[in-house]
């Protein structure tokens, strides 16, 4: 199956018409069958949050949970855990509701732009796999060195051998802090594709918080740019049973529209979505 959705469910204004913040996920589930949980990147979420999100989504809905920033080296300052093992254990525990409901598609470990291809970082990826070994895990790099000609095949073989799902990216080609499009599956069960936009000038802009994100992901894909992806999506679907596609280009509110556009282009009609808000009042 090809699952298409967006990252987060709070900021996609075109999906919601007079919907309160607490009801947005319920309405989101009427449009898409999968979502990325990005709140888990900023803090390990209380189990009650995941219980609520699982309860508010259709039976076949899937979550891709982004790993906590302390686990992937993004964290600035002190990590609020005494040991790394305690941090990983707390994160694992937070996933229990998704697992019990069979709604966890995968956990995404996205490493930062300064996490380059070297022996120590390979060892750390092995450590992460050991800590989370019984979970479906996706790996996304942000440093180009992992796909340098001399390392590309070794990187892909490493992911295959270790059981990592490949997070294939569409993003600006803007130096070492961006990766090329490498449309190769590393696992038969699943492949992840993430569309980050192609804002070359904003990709490496310095800043922090919302201001940085507002520039970095400001991009709307046009029809031809999405169309060029269709053969790659079909290829990856031949290599993996399930392909999960997430749009992250939402600085200008474009992610949901692009996701729906791609659904139409692929001729997909999802069954089992939640009823849309307006449909509740129709016979």
């Amino acid at each position: 199956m090809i699952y298409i959705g967006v990252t987060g469910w709070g900021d996609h204004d075109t999906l919601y018409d007079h919907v309160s913040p607490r009801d947005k996920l319920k309405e989101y589930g009427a449009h898409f069958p999968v979502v990325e949980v990005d709140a888990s990147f900023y803090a390990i979420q209380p189990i009650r949050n995941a219980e609520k999100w699982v309860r508010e989504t259709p039976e076949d809905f899937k979550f891709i949970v982004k790993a906590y920033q302390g686990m992937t080296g993004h964290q600035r300052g002190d990590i609020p855990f005494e040991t790394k093992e305690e941090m990983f254990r707390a994160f694992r525990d937070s996933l229990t509701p998704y697992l019990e409901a069979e709604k966890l598609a995968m956990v995404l470990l996205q490493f930062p732009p300064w996490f380059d291809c070297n022996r120590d970082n390979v060892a750390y990826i092995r450590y992460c796999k050991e800590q989370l070994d019984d979970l479906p895990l996706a790996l996304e790099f942000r440093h180009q060195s992992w796909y340098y000609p001399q390392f590309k095949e070794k990187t892909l073989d490493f992911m295959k051998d270790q059981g990592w799902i490949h997070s294939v990216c569409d993003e600006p080609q803007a130096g070492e802090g961006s990766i090329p499009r490498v449309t190769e599956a590393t696992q038969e069960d699943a492949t992840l594709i993430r569309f980050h936009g192609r804002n070359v000038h904003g990709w490496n802009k310095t800043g922090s918080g919302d201001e940085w994100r507002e520039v970095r992901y400001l991009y709307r894909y046009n029809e031809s740019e999405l169309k060029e992806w269709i053969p790659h999506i079909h290829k990856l679907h031949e290599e993996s049973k399930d392909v999960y596609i997430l749009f992250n280009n939402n600085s200008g509110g474009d992610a949901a529209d692009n996701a729906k556009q791609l659904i139409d282009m692929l001729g997909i009609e999802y069954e089992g979505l939640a009823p849309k808000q307006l449909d509740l009042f129709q016979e």
Side-chain angles (χ1 to χ4, degrees), residues 152-168:
K152 176 183 172 182
E153 293 305 319
K154 292 180 180 179
T155 295
L156 294 171
D157 287 343
F158 173 76
M159 284 194 269
K160 291 174 184 176
D161 294 341
Q162 291 283 302
W164 288 94
I165 297 165
H166 191 192
S167 178
V168 180

Side-chain angles (χ1 to χ4, degrees), residues 141-204:
F141 296 112
R142 279 287 174 88
H143 194 280
Q144 200 174 88
S145 59
W146 296 93
Y147 298 103
Y148 284 170
Q150 65 269 36
F151 296 137
K152 176 183 172 182
E153 293 305 319
K154 292 180 180 179
T155 295
L156 294 171
D157 287 343
F158 173 76
M159 284 194 269
K160 291 174 184 176
D161 294 341
Q162 291 283 302
W164 288 94
I165 297 165
H166 191 192
S167 178
V168 180
C169 294
D170 185 286
E171 62 190 42
Q173 298 306 290
E176 288 187 341
S178 60
I179 60 171
R181 179 172 65 191
V182 180
T183 54
E184 292 190 36
T186 55
Q187 298 301 312
E188 293 180 355
D189 288 340
T191 294
L192 175 61
I193 303 172
R194 298 179 84 230
F195 283 86
H196 295 299
R198 298 181 181 180
N199 185 350
V200 176
H201 300 293
W203 190 252
N204 293 322

Side-chain angles (χ1 to χ4, degrees), residues 53-192:
W53 299 334
V54 163
R55 191 169 58 247
E56 291 180 346
T57 49
E59 182 179 357
D60 295 328
F61 191 88
K62 300 297 182 184
F63 291 90
I64 295 172
V65 181
K66 195 170 184 181
Y68 172 57
Q69 60 184 341
M71 297 159 56
T72 53
H74 290 83
Q75 178 80 20
R76 304 293 192 183
D78 294 333
I79 295 173
F81 297 95
E82 291 187 6
T83 65
K84 284 184 179 179
E85 287 73 19
E86 180 186 343
M87 173 177 61
F88 276 88
R89 188 162 55 248
F91 180 78
R92 287 176 61 95
D93 290 344
S94 74
L95 302 176
T96 301
Y98 305 111
L99 292 166
E100 291 180 344
E102 297 183 354
K103 290 188 174 184
L104 180 68
M106 65 190 74
V107 173
L108 169 63
L109 281 79
Q110 180 197 66
F111 287 94
W114 54 87
F115 189 86
D116 62 345
C117 185
N118 64 54
R119 190 178 300 275
D120 288 342
N121 287 340
V122 170
Y124 184 71
I125 294 171
R126 290 182 186 274
Y127 171 80
C128 292
K129 190 70 170 66
E130 290 171 0
Q131 295 297 309
L132 304 169
D133 191 42
D134 57 341
L135 299 171
L137 301 175
L139 182 57
E140 180 173 328
F141 296 112
R142 279 287 174 88
H143 194 280
Q144 200 174 88
S145 59
W146 296 93
Y147 298 103
Y148 284 170
Q150 65 269 36
F151 296 137
K152 176 183 172 182
E153 293 305 319
K154 292 180 180 179
T155 295
L156 294 171
D157 287 343
F158 173 76
M159 284 194 269
K160 291 174 184 176
D161 294 341
Q162 291 283 302
W164 288 94
I165 297 165
H166 191 192
S167 178
V168 180
C169 294
D170 185 286
E171 62 190 42
Q173 298 306 290
E176 288 187 341
S178 60
I179 60 171
R181 179 172 65 191
V182 180
T183 54
E184 292 190 36
T186 55
Q187 298 301 312
E188 293 180 355
D189 288 340
T191 294
L192 175 61

Side-chain angles (χ1 to χ4, degrees), residues 1-6 28 31-36 58-64 102-106 189-195 233 237 240-247 259-260 262-263 266 268 270-273:
M1 181 169 169
I2 299 175
Y3 295 83
I4 299 177
V6 298
Y28 177 96
H31 298 271
F32 302 113
V34 64
V35 75
E36 180 181 297
E59 182 179 357
D60 295 328
F61 191 88
K62 300 297 182 184
F63 291 90
I64 295 172
E102 297 183 354
K103 290 188 174 184
L104 180 68
M106 65 190 74
D189 288 340
T191 294
L192 175 61
I193 303 172
R194 298 179 84 230
F195 283 86
I233 293 169
H237 197 204
S240 296
K241 180 171 70 71
D242 294 319
V243 174
Y244 296 86
I245 302 173
L246 297 170
F247 282 83
K260 289 195 168 190
L262 184 59
I263 289 172
L266 290 168
I268 297 173
Y270 292 117
E271 297 180 0
L273 297 178

Side-chain angles (χ1 to χ4, degrees), residues 20 43 52 65 82 114 162 177 227 229 233 250 253 282:
S20 67
K52 176 178 182 291
V65 181
E82 291 187 6
W114 54 87
Q162 291 283 302
K227 189 175 181 180
W229 261 94
I233 293 169
N250 204 51
Q282 294 178 354

